Amino acid sequence: MGRRDMADIISTVEFNHTGELLATGDKGGRVVIFQREPESKNAPHSQGEYDVYSTFQSHEPEFDYLKSLEIEEKINKIKWLPQQNAAHSLLSTNDKTIKLWKITERDKRPEGYNLKDEEGKLKDLSTVTSLQVPVLKPMDLMVEVSPRRIFANGHTYHINSISVNSDCETYMSADDLRINLWHLAITDRSFNIVDIKPANMEDLTEVITASEFHPHHCNLFVYSSSKGSLRLCDMRAAALCDKHSKLFEEPEDPSNRSFFSEIISSVSDVKFSHSGRYMLTRDYLTVKVWDLNMEARPIETYQVHDYLRSKLCSLYENDCIFDKFECAWNGSDSVIMTGAYNNFFRMFDRNTKRDVTLEASRESSKPRAVLKPRRVCVGGKRRRDDISVDSLDFTKKILHTAWHPAENIIAIAATNNLYIFQDKVNSDMH
Amino acid sequence: MFARGLKRKCVGHEEDVEGALAGLKTVSSYSLQRQSLLDMSLVKLQLCHMLVEPNLCRSVLIANTVRQIQEEMTQDGTWRAVAPQAAGRAPLDRLVSTEILCRAAWEQEGACPAPGLGDGHTQGPVSDLCPVTSAQAPRHPQSSVWEMDGPRENRGSFHKSLDQIFETLETKNPSCMEELFSDVDSPYYDLDTVLTGMMGGARPGPCEGLEGLAPATPGPSSSCKSDLGELDHVVEILVET
């Protein structure tokens, strides 16, 4: 894969709060925003489809001269700010720097200047005989994107998460060892609220893997670790939230213990439910639902691809065991979704306990076709369209997925392709 | 029970061979697997992206794995010892661990002998794992540490850090993992970043399947040495039991 191809690899996907806009970030530092076309009777076939709205270069590659290392321009995360006026705003981050972007539309322009002509050239004053008031005339829609804030130099280690607070004034950014709190309007300082860096780096055994603010309580946030634990922290308790309010950890299953147990327990993503009552975590083989009121163990565990359990050594060898999959809730918190290998993604219905495996690929996704459930067979009876474990393509991994906040629309990033699937039949949440 | 061939190999040992041999064989098979995992992990720690900072989470997880193996080997007494265990059955928990390592890692290859059975050949798991280092070296012509291109400024500290690793491994004391990261003032992964890397060298081509590399002849030490690059060779010497 040449460098140009690699730049197109999608590295993050995020719907805004209404679902009208969908942002993707890629390895080349670009952000592409899609907008949902309003449904219209005139063109029923393009009801609610997403078209490109704006594309801009968010981050550029940098070079850290002190360490002789490149800083990748890859966009790790995008988070939308709640919309407060006609403009849209989002935060995008690479490993080191977070940027606040403002997206505005311009669909009118003034015409009829007295001193300038249509092209902007100064008029010969002798030709001006009367005064006119310039009027706004409609023009083709122009989307303008501008960087409003750059939050730099806040992190020594690589940023893995950003999360906007429900107060809409602050946000946090987390790297491997620290979490910082920023004010959206202030770029030259941030407050450190979590620091797990040991005094002796030799003692380092655990890193922060993801973090998120509670959707309703602006003082609460959670962060996950490489040892599989979740820590819920209350910012009212202390300035430095090294002491958690709650620690969520599932005791290890001794019958499944191997040298890879810790690695597969590392949490790659954590998401609060829309209700704020639950948390969803993803580790290498499972997704788990946790109740905020119960720290001892998750209330639900779903197997994503348990057939990989016997292959952990090979997956360790080829580094796949370190892949960080994300997870997502649907709008009503009744269904959860996560990606897997071979361009498969999985959905689990929490109420019916049914699950489905679907594939995001051009061959199987003609427009308006219904996705066919897939199955991975692990020996024993093999049905016709089953895929055997050994023929799974581990280079085709779906790490990033997003669910529309209200409707059954999902966005799936499969390497450098974006798939958007809509459930037209069951458009309402159930 | 044992295959006939195995029994015949034990000609001359009249006493209750089966039990002791089963124990020994199980232990040595597990030890070899564990050793290979340790080798692989150490190679992973040292291979890094030259230009971009390595992933700290990945490094920490691999280091923890190395620590786990090392602790177990220290408990075994195999960390220092070269001689195999004295005759007698391995303790029960060791058998359990073997099975787990087997089940977890090798079940797919279908070559995992259940503990105590022994199927007379070590072709499967051991040889699948062992050639990891040997087969990778030829793929990357610049496998030798000293042939790297790229930023030279950290050369001095690079050599120092490399020496540090090997020095601490050589002392073979339980705290050597800590000393691996003994460069306190600089960020953790300075050690990694100054070490040369094949770009994701542990990653062979597209992961079409989970099959390991082609099985090599059994007998890890000799076959590995012959094809290894210089770095792998040195690691091999230092950690080989």
Side-chain angles (χ1 to χ4, degrees), chain A residues 68 70 257 262 311 316 319, chain B residues 44 51 64 100 108 210:
Chain A
S68 287
E70 252 186 32
R257 174 123 185 80
E262 185 186 310
K311 308 201 179 296
Y316 178 74
D319 266 13
Chain B
K44 275 182 183 298
L51 289 176
N64 288 351
I100 288 168
Q108 172 51 28
L210 284 178

Side-chain angles (χ1 to χ4, degrees), chain A residues 67-70 157-158 201-202 205 257 262 309-311 313-314 316-317 319 324 390 392 394-395, chain B residues 41 44 51 53 58 60 62 64 67-68 100 104-105 108 153 178 181 188-189 202 207-208 210:
Chain A
K67 295 182 197 163
S68 287
L69 292 168
E70 252 186 32
Y157 303 97
H158 289 181
M201 277 302 263
E202 308 157 5
T205 58
R257 174 123 185 80
E262 185 186 310
R309 197 177 288 273
S310 57
K311 308 201 179 296
C313 196
S314 304
Y316 178 74
E317 183 191 335
D319 266 13
K324 291 192 194 298
D390 298 314
L392 291 174
F394 288 84
T395 61
Chain B
S41 303
K44 275 182 183 298
L51 289 176
E53 280 173 325
R58 175 180 173 274
V60 167
I62 297 172
N64 288 351
R67 218 179 253 121
Q68 272 182 64
I100 288 168
Q108 172 51 28
E153 3 180 351
E178 283 67 36
F181 313 126
Y188 165 90
Y189 36 75
C207 308
E208 286 291 324
L210 284 178

Side-chain angles (χ1 to χ4, degrees), chain A residues 346-385:
Chain A
R346 305 263 284 135
M347 288 192 194
F348 304 90
D349 188 319
R350 297 178 60 214
N351 299 324
T352 66
K353 300 301 180 198
R354 284 163 59 184
D355 63 83
V356 70
T357 303
L358 300 169
E359 182 179 358
S361 74
R362 283 195 207 181
E363 294 78 37
S364 64
S365 314
K366 300 194 181 70
R368 280 167 277 285
V370 174
L371 282 180
K372 193 178 59 175
R374 306 306 309 265
R375 213 174 82 111
V376 178
C377 72
V378 281
K381 271 201 205 150
R382 201 200 140 150
R383 291 184 221 151
R384 201 164 58 108
D385 288 326

Side-chain angles (χ1 to χ4, degrees), chain A residues 345 359-361 365 371 408-412 419-423:
Chain A
F345 58 99
E359 182 179 358
S361 74
S365 314
L371 282 180
N408 273 347
I409 303 172
I410 56 177
I412 310 285
Y419 293 83
I420 300 177
F421 298 113
Q422 300 190 32
D423 185 359

